[in-house]
Amino acid sequence: MSDAAPGLQLLPPGTPIDLTNCEREPIHVPGSIQPRGVLLAVSEPDLVVQQVSENLADLVGVAASDALGRPLTEVLGVAQAEAVARSASAFGDLRERNPVELTLDVDGGPRPVDALLHRAVTGSAGEGMPPASTLVVELEPAFGPRPFSFPNTYQAVRGTVGELNRASTLQELYDITAHAVRQLTGFDRVMVYRYDADHNGEVVAEAKAPGLNAFLGLHYPASDIPAQARALYEKNWIRLISDVDYVPARLWPAAWPASGQPLDLTYSTLRSVSPIHVEYLQNMGVRASMSISLLRDDRLWGLIACHHYTGPHAPPYATRAAAEFLGSTLSLRLVDRAEEDEVHRALRVRSTLAWLTAATLDEDRPLVDTLLGSPDLLDLLPADGVVLSLQRHSGSRGAPLPEGAAEAVAAWAAAQDEDVVATDSLPRSAPGLDADPACGVLVVPLPDGQFVLWHRAEAVRTVDWGGDPHNKAIAEREGDEVRLSPRKSFDRWRETVRDRSEPWSAQEVTEVLELRTHLLEALYARSRSQVRAAETLQRSLLTEPPQRADLEVAVRYVPAAREAQVGGDWYDVFEQPDGSTVLVIGDVVGHDTEAAADMAQLRGVLRGIAYDSADGPAAVLTRLDAAIAGLGLDALATVLVGRLVPEPASGGTRLRWASAGHLPPLVVGRDGVARALTAPRAGLLLGVDPAAVRPECEALLEPGSTVLLYTDGLVERRDQGFDDGVDRLAAELASLADRPVGEVCDEVLARLLTDDAEDDVALVAVRLGVSRAPAGR
């Protein structure tokens, strides 16, 4: 039963209807017809009458009660029933062959009628079977000579079709159609009525009798034609109410006998209409009306609305068919015109999009500069301005926005979790945002807070309504009862629309979605290039350790198990002019190319500070902190600096070290016991406080000891704390004390590092007081 209005919960048939529920009225099953004709529903293939309208005798001469259960031949006559059967037996849509011209033999002589056939679903034929249907036969009297036979419908409108084909503007198409339909049908007023995206209607053309007030340019709210009525217009393209004061003729019995369901009159030409709509027309002074659907892609685009004021008016079926033909022709011409305009616009947009896409391949030019070049993003999508933030570059074109407004709007759009966010009323969609003069925005949120944002200013406009659309009902007292009725005033009512921009079309959103795909590809390609460059830089910085006869040194770097193979971990080992050896292990906060760039800067600055300096490790860290602040490096890092100084008298080596928030070094002596060298207090990270002072510690290490410096990626796990990780590392290191340091590093990594590690790992291992060739990376 919901087929007449998909997705709409309709009321059960027979429910009392008023303005509180009329939008859910099941108008496709009214249980009655307009009495300008009669209806018979017959079973197939036996053509036995199962349902009739109660006015059957008025036209056929057989009482409704006498017709039920009888063959159609006994009700209409043999020749007439056979003509119906022949038409019904043909393939295809029965409505395409309507009308079947019959002459009934009734009291008083022959009576010409037009038989209009269609099939209606009457219920299920059983599980796994197609729905059962019935043949509906509607009979209308053919008063006087027929204006032209149905096959000659085209001849009746041939001249108008030629005019439509020659029309050069949309307004010409509307005007030609309105005048032609009025001339053809004789209605006092014919209007071409167009819907907007919200189903509000506007009269865009009008042909009327002299003396009538003009409706041209008036708007009517979507509630005037509810959703279920629009759905019927998409299925049945023409509807006539020949007399708004008609008394409905009920169907008898009320339900189809086999299913118990009311007869679906979606495709009926005589279907009774909603009493609410009848009253609406009466309030306008209309005595008869006709509507012809205008469709685009099988969706209702508008209507040709016909009104008559001087009394009932019933154009014969052939005339209505000719008017419907004109409506279909107008629909086709509108589609052709719209598609022609769309082709020109699409070619221009496609050309701009292709140029922009090709230009983004030039990775030597910032992406923002490319998209704001010539052509730019305002050539792709008309707007008052556009703002971009891509790869740490920002730019704009057109009308400026207040500082921070674009970023605030972009953050709001990103929170919507959609590929493209569009609104023509930012004040209504996001009341807390102040982005004046932007009223409508279209935003493409991109990864890492990047975005592209178009904005349009408020477009203040006035709308002339046919009556106040906000006054949906007027309480009116009749006797002792109060009821709701449709509005009675249709005088011009002007509304000023504010807080809205020109809307973003569905096609514009689709084109921006395509641009988004290209931008993601460009960002990915550029990111990969940056990552490759950073990987090369990082590898070049992670140099081989110096070769010394009294030290065995091994270093390792393992990137995290993620796509970007760069990060902020680093190591460094170098000799000072006085013969001491400096050990460095560090970890810049972050895991991307920015962290790698910060790492490279810190490593270079630290080398410069420490190479030819007598300062101890703590002083080196203090100077490095000051350099971070003074040079504006804006980096946070943990760093441990150690200095190995041989002591020939004892045969040992003194390790002096200081830490800026880094994990303690591990040492394994000749006894095979591993221990952590801890400081008396924790040192503050680099980049937090330039005046921070860190303790400097020292330890005398015996020959054969192994020192291991490492970053937190080796000991940090979601299921364990740092202390547990360091303890495990110390145990593994103790078990490997007799191995060469290169093997120590490899085994430690194999035992502690998982395949899905999320952080980088850097290692420095040093064996003291030995005479071996240094181990490589």
Side-chain angles (χ1 to χ4, degrees):
M1 290 296 176
S2 63
D3 182 60
L8 189 66
Q9 285 294 105
L10 298 179
L11 299 170
T15 302
I17 302 297
D18 58 29
L19 282 188
T20 66
N21 60 10
C22 66
E23 74 279 358
R24 296 191 295 128
E25 181 183 3
I27 56 177
H28 62 306
V29 287
S32 63
I33 64 167
Q34 300 176 54
R36 71 171 186 270
V38 301
L39 181 146
L40 304 93
V42 300
S43 56
E44 293 185 289
D46 54 1
L47 298 186
V48 173
V49 178
Q50 303 290 337
Q51 252 181 315
V52 296
S53 58
E54 61 184 358
N55 65 332
L56 182 68
D58 296 343
L59 184 61
V60 178
V62 178
S65 57
D66 293 339
L68 292 174
R70 294 172 60 185
L72 192 61
T73 54
E74 296 180 10
V75 178
L76 299 184
V78 174
Q80 293 77 8
E82 288 179 350
V84 169
R86 282 195 301 271
S87 183
S89 64
F91 293 104
D93 189 344
L94 300 185
R95 294 172 296 161
E96 294 177 357
R97 290 180 294 280
N98 285 334
V100 180
E101 297 179 358
L102 304 178
T103 301
L104 301 180
D105 187 11
V106 296
D107 294 339
R111 181 173 297 174
V113 298
D114 289 332
L116 312 175
L117 312 183
H118 74 275
R119 287 190 173 88
V121 175
T122 53
S124 174
E127 186 175 354
M129 300 291 289
S133 64
T134 185
L135 178 65
V136 178
V137 181
E138 297 176 275
L139 304 177
E140 288 188 16
F143 298 109
R146 291 182 170 88
F148 40 82
S149 62
F150 182 70
N152 294 324
T153 298
Y154 175 71
Q155 296 298 327
V157 296
R158 182 176 180 178
T160 303
V161 171
E163 289 185 67
L164 290 175
N165 288 334
R166 290 188 295 271
S168 58
T169 67
L170 287 176
Q171 192 59 51
E172 283 186 80
L173 290 172
Y174 302 150
D175 292 339
I176 291 168
T177 303
H179 285 88
V181 171
R182 180 167 185 261
Q183 184 178 21
L184 182 67
T185 62
F187 278 94
D188 292 333
R189 186 196 306 271
V190 174
M191 299 168 286
V192 177
Y193 183 86
R194 180 179 63 191
Y195 288 127
D196 64 15
D198 297 322
H199 303 294
N200 299 309
E202 177 188 3
V203 179
V204 295
E206 180 181 49
K208 63 184 182 65
L212 292 178
N213 59 321
F215 286 176
L216 182 63
L218 292 184
H219 292 69
Y220 294 85
S223 57
D224 282 8
I225 305 179
Q228 77 274 35
R230 294 194 298 269
L232 284 193
Y233 281 130
E234 291 175 353
K235 294 178 170 61
N236 197 348
W237 298 348
I238 191 164
R239 186 210 59 189
L240 171 68
I241 306 174
S242 58
D243 184 356
V244 298
D245 297 323
Y246 76 89
V247 177
R250 293 173 299 173
L251 299 185
W252 196 74
W256 184 255
S259 67
Q261 299 294 324
L263 186 64
D264 188 337
L265 297 181
T266 294
Y267 295 103
S268 168
T269 190
L270 297 174
R271 176 178 61 85
S272 192
V273 298
S274 167
I276 296 292
H277 182 65
V278 167
E279 187 172 353
Y280 176 90
L281 293 174
Q282 291 171 335
N283 289 344
M284 294 185 77
V286 174
R287 296 294 306 279
S289 78
M290 187 172 77
S291 300
I292 303 167
S293 302
L294 299 175
L295 303 173
R296 181 178 183 182
D297 298 328
D298 296 325
R299 302 303 302 270
L300 192 65
W301 173 92
L303 294 171
I304 300 174
C306 309
H307 289 173
H308 208 66
Y309 302 93
T310 54
H313 189 60
Y317 181 82
T319 298
R320 298 184 333 248
E324 183 185 34
F325 185 86
L326 277 181
S328 297
T329 303
L330 174 60
S331 294
L332 291 174
R333 291 293 292 119
L334 290 173
V335 170
D336 288 344
R337 181 56 185 263
E339 289 181 348
E340 181 181 343
D341 292 344
E342 180 57 32
V343 165
H344 288 300
R345 195 197 66 82
L347 287 174
R348 175 183 56 78
V349 169
R350 182 66 53 189
S351 174
T352 302
L353 187 59
W355 192 97
L356 291 173
T357 300
T360 61
L361 300 178
D362 179 7
E363 297 185 4
D364 293 332
R365 186 183 185 191
L367 200 52
V368 166
D369 293 349
T370 296
L371 297 175
L372 294 180
S374 179
D376 64 20
L377 290 180
L378 291 180
D379 295 308
L380 180 72
L381 179 62
D384 293 304
V386 63
V387 183
L388 296 79
S389 179
L390 300 169
Q391 295 187 308
R392 303 186 187 91
H393 292 83
S394 297
S396 65
R397 184 77 79 237
L401 295 181
E403 184 176 356
E407 290 74 15
V409 173
W412 164 79
Q416 310 309 305
D417 196 26
E418 297 178 5
D419 291 343
V420 173
V421 178
T423 175
D424 63 357
S425 181
L426 190 62
R428 301 182 188 188
S429 300
L433 290 178
D434 182 10
D436 187 61
C439 182
V441 296
L442 190 151
V443 188
V444 182
L446 295 165
D448 302 323
Q450 302 174 99
F451 64 87
V452 179
L453 182 156
W454 288 267
H455 57 91
R456 289 174 177 169
E458 180 186 31
V460 180
R461 60 188 184 276
T462 59
V463 179
D464 290 331
W465 296 93
D468 183 352
H470 305 295
N471 185 10
K472 297 288 193 298
I474 300 173
E476 183 176 80
R477 183 174 298 277
E478 290 190 352
D480 295 328
E481 297 181 354
V482 174
R483 69 181 182 87
L484 292 174
S485 63
R487 70 178 189 271
K488 292 185 178 294
S489 172
F490 291 87
D491 292 336
R492 186 181 299 264
W493 186 88
R494 176 161 291 182
E495 178 184 28
T496 301
V497 179
R498 303 195 65 96
D499 290 334
R500 288 192 180 277
S501 71
E502 290 297 326
W504 311 97
S505 70
Q507 188 59 36
E508 288 173 334
V509 173
T510 299
E511 289 157 357
V512 168
L513 275 169
E514 185 174 351
L515 172 68
R516 178 182 181 274
T517 300
H518 294 307
L519 284 178
L520 288 174
E521 292 174 351
L523 288 171
Y524 176 79
R526 289 169 181 244
S527 296
R528 290 303 305 149
S529 296
Q530 292 175 354
V531 167
R532 286 192 295 270
E535 287 175 347
T536 302
L537 172 63
Q538 190 165 33
R539 294 293 182 185
S540 69
L541 294 175
L542 301 178
T543 55
E544 295 289 342
Q547 299 183 12
R548 291 186 54 154
D550 59 341
L551 295 178
E552 180 186 355
V553 183
V555 292
R556 297 289 187 272
Y557 172 77
V558 180
R562 47 186 153 78
E563 184 177 358
Q565 300 271 304
V566 294
D569 290 17
W570 91 92
Y571 60 78
D572 202 0
V573 181
F574 58 91
E575 292 186 63
Q576 291 184 298
D578 63 2
S580 60
T581 301
V582 175
L583 309 178
V584 180
I585 194 82
D587 184 359
V588 173
V589 175
H591 305 98
D592 54 15
T593 55
E594 185 174 3
D598 289 341
M599 176 273 291
Q601 289 180 306
L602 292 184
R603 180 182 183 276
V605 173
L606 193 154
R607 270 200 162 206
I609 291 172
Y611 172 69
D612 192 13
S613 171
D615 290 342
V620 169
L621 290 177
T622 298
R623 292 178 62 188
L624 182 58
D625 232 343
I628 290 175
L631 298 175
L633 299 184
D634 193 26
L636 290 175
T638 67
V639 181
L640 187 146
V641 177
R643 189 180 183 202
L644 293 172
V645 181
E647 292 198 349
S650 64
T653 302
R654 188 167 299 277
L655 172 64
R656 297 174 62 192
W657 59 277
S659 173
H662 202 83
L663 294 166
L666 294 177
V667 174
V668 179
R670 285 184 298 186
D671 57 2
V673 176
R675 69 186 191 278
L677 302 180
T678 57
R681 67 178 186 275
L684 199 62
L685 269 69
L686 286 174
V688 176
D689 179 6
V693 177
R694 300 167 183 84
E696 185 168 296
C697 308
E698 66 175 52
L700 183 60
L701 306 180
E702 60 185 349
S705 298
T706 302
V707 179
L708 182 69
L709 308 183
Y710 53 94
T711 54
D712 58 5
L714 188 62
V715 296
E716 183 182 18
R717 296 288 181 275
R718 293 181 179 180
D719 56 350
Q720 70 178 19
F722 275 121
D723 290 342
D724 293 335
V726 172
D727 290 343
R728 183 183 172 192
L729 174 59
E732 297 292 352
L733 184 61
S735 70
L736 299 167
D738 59 343
R739 302 273 197 96
V741 289
E743 293 184 18
V744 170
C745 290
D746 293 337
E747 281 297 319
V748 164
L749 291 172
R751 297 180 187 184
L752 272 67
L753 200 59
T754 60
D755 291 337
D756 58 349
E758 298 179 356
D759 202 356
D760 307 339
V761 174
L763 291 177
V764 175
V766 181
R767 182 76 46 77
L768 305 174
V770 296
S771 182
R772 295 183 182 178
R777 293 179 61 195

